[in-house]
Amino acid sequence: MRALIVGGGVIGTSVAYHLAARGADVIVIERSAIACAASGKSGGFLAMDWCDGTPLMHLSRRSFELHAELAEGHAGEWGYRRMTTYGGILGRPSAPASHGAGPGWLSPNVSIHGQIGSMVTTAQVQPAAFTIGMMRAAEVRGAELRLGNVTGLLRRGEKVVGVDLEGEALKGDVVVIAMGPWSVLAARWLPLPPVFGLKGHSLVFNTGPAIPPEALFLEYQEATGTILSPEIFPRADGTTYVCAISSDSPLPTDPEFVVPDDGAIDRLQVLCARISPILASSRVRSGQACFRPVTQDGLPLIGAIPDAPGAYVATGHGVWGILNAPATGEAVAELILDGATRAVDLSSFDPARLEAVNPGRVTVARRPLG
Ligand SMILES: Cc1cc2nc3c(=O)[nH]c(=O)nc-3n(C[C@H](O)[C@H](O)[C@H](O)COP(=O)(O)OP(=O)(O)OC[C@H]3O[C@@H](n4cnc5c(N)ncnc54)[C@H](O)[C@@H]3O)c2cc1C
């Protein structure tokens, strides 16, 4: 069984790891570099029970469990650790908030409302290192990485029997589309529902050991009235990640061309300086942007693609792609190798639940239409 996985983000590499661990012959095809897109630029925050009561509950709980298992013996490689998590409000400059109980590294502008996650229920990984770690772990089990742009599929009748890799016919028994927001382009080749890219900006600071493992989710109203929801994640490697500021900017067709919107990084830096004096005085290691893949109903597309035997999809994980990658990889491997899943029921994520895009009208749209 040879599986071709298109996309070397956290989803593609997690599928590769689980397939290779079960003895499949695996090739990951990545257009740019492993973790070059959202999987390398996201927060890497993990929550055990924040998706409870939604169709994501079992996928998230199983993933949280698998993250802990995967980190055994590898924790230092991708910075897995448990965190305490707080929620609060960042006051406007004219109305500093009063300080509630919570982290002591914050400025008096921040009011903490309460603890929203504990060392039992919340954790983190360094997402680029985790994604690269999954690829390496797959390679140790025999998987191969090919750099190149997949531009089409090989078919024998209805059956998908490989990919067109920049003119090279690469054959495989199954093909898994894990192209993140660029999965929309695969709707030219396969009956796939739309996938959209929602842009987010982030900063990574060199903060050293000054900030303890405490994650923070804040609300802030800018002078213009815009509501921002900054998320702050100090990491085990002595950096601190902060994201906020989503935008409607269109997805470039080449992942290499993703850049921050004009002014967004400066705006984010001003915001960070108000959150903590440590962020105000720390050197910025990177200011970046990326697109999370989202679907029309907010749930991922995971499963066999209708009317295209041999083709599978795993994308649209939205804000929880790093969390939900391990159980997605496990489930896709079970589906391909056993014909059914055991650990997690994928029926809520069946790509057949949504109408496929007309292949002649594929565009990289800005946001879900519904
Ligand atoms: C600002 C921000 C913060 C986030 N924070 C968190 C968080 O704290 N926790 C969490 O769980 N999730 C978080 N997420 C969500 C998470 O990052 C994404 O859901 C996840 O990274 C998506 O992974 P992916 O593998 O589907 O896509 P991607 O990471 O986009 O990977 C897709 C890959 O496919 C490749 N590709 C595309 N087209 C082709 C082609 N034709 N041929 C070959 N390769 C191709 C691309 O180059 C890319 O490497 C965050 C997202 C954002 C934007």
Side-chain angles (χ1 to χ4, degrees):
M1 153 70 68
R2 180 194 254 195
L4 306 180
I5 296 165
V6 189
V10 73
I11 301 300
T13 59
S14 296
V15 173
Y17 168 76
H18 283 279
L19 279 170
R22 293 194 50 193
D25 178 12
V26 174
I27 303 179
V28 174
I29 307 147
E30 165 53 46
R31 176 174 178 162
S32 175
I34 294 291
C36 66
S39 300
K41 292 170 184 161
S42 83
F45 179 77
L46 315 174
M48 180 183 81
D49 53 1
W50 289 20
C51 298
D52 280 9
T54 79
L56 288 169
M57 173 169 156
H58 297 295
L59 189 73
S60 297
R61 282 189 166 258
R62 176 66 183 149
S63 287
F64 193 81
E65 194 176 276
L66 284 174
H67 266 291
E69 278 175 30
L70 289 164
E72 276 173 31
H74 296 275
E77 275 174 49
W78 52 77
Y80 176 87
R81 63 178 180 172
R82 300 293 180 130
M83 308 194 88
T84 306
T85 303
Y86 297 95
I89 285 189
L90 174 63
R92 287 192 194 186
S94 54
S98 61
H99 216 333
W105 50 274
L106 298 170
S107 83
N109 299 316
V110 177
S111 169
I112 294 299
H113 289 159
Q115 191 182 319
I116 54 176
S118 71
M119 291 283 197
V120 174
T121 61
T122 53
Q124 71 175 165
V125 293
Q126 209 287 10
F130 175 71
T131 304
I132 292 165
M134 284 295 94
M135 187 66 230
R136 296 289 164 265
E139 285 175 313
V140 165
R141 289 158 181 80
E144 189 188 326
L145 170 63
R146 292 280 303 270
L147 291 182
N149 185 17
V150 170
T151 50
L153 296 179
L154 308 180
R155 315 284 288 240
R156 194 183 311 123
E158 281 206 325
K159 181 149 173 49
V160 174
V161 293
V163 300
D164 181 338
L165 182 55
E166 300 179 22
E168 180 193 346
L170 188 60
K171 294 206 171 137
D173 301 299
V174 295
V175 172
V176 181
I177 302 295
M179 292 155 56
W182 294 277
S183 302
V184 64
L185 298 173
R188 289 178 180 152
W189 324 321
L190 291 161
L192 273 176
V195 179
F196 307 88
L198 188 58
K199 193 170 189 178
H201 295 83
S202 56
L203 282 169
V204 182
F205 294 88
N206 279 330
T207 44
I211 303 184
E214 294 170 334
L216 204 57
F217 287 75
L218 297 179
E219 290 283 309
Y220 175 62
Q221 188 171 17
E222 288 187 311
T224 56
T226 307
I227 306 277
L228 299 180
S229 305
E231 300 175 6
I232 299 104
F233 306 126
R235 289 176 170 166
D237 65 357
T239 63
T240 296
Y241 173 98
V242 184
C243 66
I245 310 181
S246 297
S247 96
D248 276 351
S249 301
L251 178 75
T253 47
D254 186 338
E256 295 275 341
F257 295 154
V258 175
V259 289
D261 291 355
D262 286 347
I265 294 300
D266 291 344
R267 213 169 125 210
L268 189 50
Q269 209 164 346
V270 169
L271 178 72
C272 289
R274 288 186 41 70
I275 294 172
S276 164
I278 300 175
L279 297 180
S281 61
S282 296
R283 196 174 71 77
V284 172
R285 177 187 279 206
S286 51
Q288 57 198 13
C290 62
F291 287 82
R292 67 191 63 136
V294 294
T295 62
Q296 225 147 11
D297 64 3
L299 294 176
L301 306 172
I302 313 173
I305 299 176
D307 306 323
Y312 296 80
V313 63
T315 191
H317 289 71
V319 296
W320 288 120
I322 306 297
L323 168 65
N324 287 330
T328 298
E330 179 184 55
V332 172
E334 288 172 353
L335 199 57
I336 290 172
L337 298 175
D338 308 328
T341 64
R342 266 170 310 178
V344 176
D345 176 10
L346 292 180
S347 47
S348 299
F349 316 126
D350 186 348
R353 75 187 186 276
L354 295 169
E355 200 180 326
V357 185
N358 177 338
R361 305 189 61 183
V362 169
T363 53
V364 280
R366 297 173 184 210
R367 57 167 63 239
L369 307 169

